[in-house]
Amino acid sequence: STASSAPIFISGVSLPEHTADVAASLAKARQDGFDYVVTSLPNTAPLTSHVAHVGKHRTDVTRVESKWWSTSVVGMVSDPDDGHSASRGFGSAGQSLINSLCRPTTSPEKRRESSRILWGGLEWASHMNIPAVILPSPTDDDSDEDEDMFDAAPCKPTSVANKAASRDYAQLVSAISTSSICTTSHVQLWIRVPLSMQAMQAFQLLLDRCDHSPSIGCMLHMDRNIEPGALPSMASALHAFLGAGNVKAVSWDTGNFLRNKKGFPTLSKSYQHIFSMVYGRLGRTVRTLVEGQLDARSDHGGASSRLHHLQYLRHLRSRAPLPSKLDSEEAVLETPYLDSLQSPLQPLGDHLEYQTYETFEKDPVKYSNYGEAIELALLDGLARGAYPAIKSVFTSLGRLKETSESLRERLEEASCHRDLGAIAEIDVKEVTILVVGAGRGPLVREAIAAVDRVTSISLLGTEGNVALHAKIIAIEKNPSAMLYLQSLRETEPSWNGAYDPGVPDLANGAREIVPGSSR
């Protein structure tokens, strides 16, 4: 298939100097072609709090329209000490706040204060209609050997306190995911997960404890080097994780980029392999984020100083085989159905909609395989003599090819030297094909084409001239679909025995479409 649309690559940027100013972040991000920005959640706790009142006002809320908050901003939980904890290290943003809520050694007063700050920030994200909020990674020290989904080395023994903290964090995330913040405002929770086996395992454990809530997703954080020798085991672990980890975003830390000879950012061969693997499976739905501190050694490009990083990631997205996987007609068709829970269809109890039939019929493989199976079954039946002869007719291949597209194509492909005008005796045999649940008729079409192909194979073979008279009975309980089938019988020539008037005995009735009903 050929590409039918522009490549999808949704990218965002997190600017440490503007984590509390969406207006400034968006202005720079848009100039460089980023689609969204990250902002720290403000401290909305009451002013009587003993915590420093940094971030108690934001000028961006009065300057940025609601449509941008709901489409171009992702929130991030940060620590309340100075409002800029993220700038010291994005990977640990919000970790102190979460620790104070989940560590048993935290004082009750500190725990209550931290709870007000966290829930207040999340309520603000819900109020602003922000679509997703980034939470810090779960502790990666709570798994044991029996729970190792990657068959890697078991995690080191940990203290009871750390295990309790891990359970408390899962309980906290579960409470958020079942609150109105997620169920009513539909805020997604992106849990930051570093690219390590223990971190992925810890997230999977958290997801299990939260009953795999659809509101909880993972943001893979590419924050550490991967040695070439460790790549096979990491790729194996990541392969399992992508299928079970509900990955929503991938974060690329600027500190992980290398420099090529011209000074532009690039990734190691190991990370290029990881990129191809992750985006090959999730590239049409996963979000990309560029974050992290920059050094002052060279120009990084663009208003955000991260333009060259984005350009390089887009370059990787454009390299084979990703375009053929992600930009084909089939990939575009599948996109609305990826990563979404759908109610199972009940065609025996409910009548399917017109659009549902149309969607099913766009499957390029399913129906062609059905047609091939029907053809093989018919050939097998002919070989076994399973079909009774009903008559013999005398005609020529030249006249028959006008009634059979398949025969015409085979004669042209084979450059057949047979005398097309010679009169031959054709044995007509009868076969009945029952299509149960015919819908809008794709299987009927395949059955007609299969009969046509089998007849042409037989007429050009050495076993004698045999043609099939097929009675195709279409059974469908949906009255609306039945109307569609009856309309096809009246409007499509191939459904009602299209034939050359000069060959009435063979062509007329060669395809007899009989409507049926399951009632």
Side-chain angles (χ1 to χ4, degrees):
S1 300
T2 59
S4 59
S5 63
I8 291 181
F9 189 74
I10 302 175
S11 60
V13 63
S14 185
L15 304 177
E17 65 275 19
H18 297 306
T19 56
D21 190 347
V22 165
S25 290
L26 279 176
K28 292 185 176 182
R30 288 173 185 161
Q31 290 185 50
D32 293 347
F34 287 99
D35 301 294
Y36 66 93
V37 297
V38 174
T39 186
S40 57
L41 302 186
N43 175 10
T44 62
L47 291 177
T48 56
S49 166
H50 72 274
V51 177
H53 297 160
V54 176
K56 295 305 293 186
H57 71 278
R58 293 179 59 138
T59 59
D60 56 355
V61 297
T62 62
R63 292 184 292 153
V64 179
E65 295 179 65
S66 61
K67 64 179 180 180
W68 301 117
W69 290 98
S70 62
T71 60
S72 305
V73 179
V74 168
M76 179 170 61
V77 172
S78 58
D79 296 319
D81 52 354
D82 61 1
H84 297 284
S85 61
S87 65
R88 299 195 305 269
F90 282 90
S92 61
Q95 197 69 63
S96 296
L97 179 65
I98 296 301
N99 287 344
S100 64
L101 283 168
C102 300
R103 294 285 171 82
T105 56
T106 305
S107 67
E109 182 182 2
K110 179 66 173 176
R111 189 184 299 272
R112 285 193 298 270
E113 185 66 42
S114 298
S115 179
R116 284 195 293 266
I117 293 172
L118 175 64
W119 283 95
L122 291 170
E123 289 287 355
W124 177 83
S126 172
H127 169 74
M128 301 302 292
N129 204 21
I130 291 176
V133 170
I134 301 171
L135 293 172
S137 61
T139 55
D140 59 3
D141 52 10
D142 190 57
S143 306
D144 55 40
E145 188 171 4
D146 292 334
E147 294 172 325
D148 192 346
M149 64 182 289
F150 305 119
D151 293 327
C155 302
K156 297 179 180 179
T158 57
S159 66
V160 174
N162 283 338
K163 290 188 176 183
S166 176
R167 288 193 295 269
D168 287 348
Y169 188 39
Q171 186 176 9
L172 174 63
V173 172
S174 179
I176 299 171
S177 70
T178 55
S179 71
S180 61
I181 294 170
C182 294
T183 60
T184 302
S185 300
H186 305 293
V187 175
Q188 291 285 311
L189 306 178
W190 291 358
I191 311 296
R192 186 186 297 273
V193 178
L195 188 63
S196 72
M197 294 186 183
Q198 287 189 352
M200 290 188 288
Q201 189 176 2
F203 173 77
Q204 191 61 48
L205 182 58
L206 181 145
L207 202 58
D208 291 342
R209 286 170 167 168
C210 295
D211 294 326
H212 289 259
S213 168
S215 299
I216 302 173
C218 156
M219 184 178 77
L220 273 175
H221 185 44
M222 307 297 181
D223 66 335
R224 62 195 67 190
N225 293 325
I226 302 176
E227 297 297 330
L231 181 60
S233 59
M234 178 58 69
S236 177
L238 186 58
H239 176 76
F241 185 75
L242 292 177
N246 200 20
V247 178
K248 298 296 184 181
V250 179
S251 161
W252 296 93
D253 195 308
T254 54
N256 245 11
F257 283 80
L258 307 175
R259 294 282 161 184
N260 62 17
K261 294 180 180 179
K262 295 183 178 181
F264 291 102
T266 185
L267 290 173
S268 66
K269 294 293 185 181
S270 295
Y271 264 122
Q272 291 180 38
H273 178 81
I274 293 295
F275 184 99
S276 180
M277 179 180 179
V278 172
Y279 286 82
R281 293 183 59 179
L282 307 175
R284 290 196 66 85
T285 58
V286 74
R287 271 51 177 165
T288 300
L289 178 63
V290 177
E291 60 179 348
Q293 295 286 1
L294 295 175
D295 56 50
R297 290 178 299 175
S298 59
D299 175 27
H300 299 275
S304 67
S305 297
R306 292 158 179 82
L307 173 60
H308 294 161
H309 297 83
L310 175 61
Q311 290 174 335
Y312 178 73
L313 293 175
R314 283 178 172 165
H315 164 68
L316 292 182
R317 167 63 174 80
S318 67
R319 292 199 315 189
L322 293 184
S324 62
K325 288 184 177 180
L326 304 177
D327 305 324
S328 64
E329 292 183 8
E330 291 82 1
V332 173
L333 176 65
E334 291 170 354
T335 300
Y337 304 96
L338 297 177
D339 299 326
S340 61
L341 182 63
Q342 301 178 45
S343 299
L345 296 174
Q346 302 291 342
L348 296 180
D350 305 318
H351 295 322
L352 300 184
E353 297 177 352
Y354 185 90
Q355 185 178 11
T356 303
Y357 287 120
E358 192 173 66
T359 301
F360 286 166
E361 291 166 16
K362 291 179 181 179
D363 188 330
V365 177
K366 173 181 176 181
Y367 296 106
S368 62
N369 285 346
Y370 268 115
E372 183 179 352
I374 295 171
E375 178 182 343
L376 293 174
L378 291 174
L379 289 172
D380 183 61
L382 280 177
R384 293 185 290 106
Y387 310 133
I390 57 174
K391 56 184 164 182
S392 295
V393 296
F394 292 88
T395 187
S396 68
L397 285 178
R399 301 180 72 185
L400 282 176
K401 79 170 185 176
E402 299 304 322
T403 70
S404 170
E405 181 180 352
S406 177
L407 179 59
R408 183 166 58 253
E409 291 176 352
R410 289 179 181 274
L411 285 170
E412 292 172 354
E413 290 174 0
S415 300
C416 184
H417 298 293
R418 296 177 60 175
D419 184 0
L420 301 185
I423 301 297
E425 183 179 9
I426 309 296
D427 293 327
V428 181
K429 297 189 176 183
E430 185 176 53
V431 59
T432 299
I433 300 175
L434 192 64
V435 180
V436 181
R440 299 197 317 169
L443 290 181
V444 176
R445 287 191 181 89
E446 291 296 338
I448 292 172
V451 169
D452 203 17
R453 291 194 298 271
V454 170
T455 295
S456 64
I457 291 172
S458 176
L459 291 175
L460 294 177
T462 59
E463 302 297 328
N465 293 330
V466 177
L468 285 179
H469 168 96
K471 177 184 292 185
I472 302 175
I473 303 175
I475 296 180
E476 175 55 54
K477 77 172 192 64
N478 187 340
S480 299
M482 204 63 203
L483 174 64
Y484 192 92
L485 290 171
Q486 292 168 336
S487 300
L488 284 176
R489 187 178 62 170
E490 298 300 324
T491 58
E492 283 203 14
S494 64
W495 281 52
N496 201 27
Y499 62 95
D500 182 335
V503 200
D505 287 339
L506 175 61
N508 190 18
R511 309 177 187 95
E512 183 178 348
I513 313 299
V514 182
S517 174
S518 62
R519 293 184 175 181

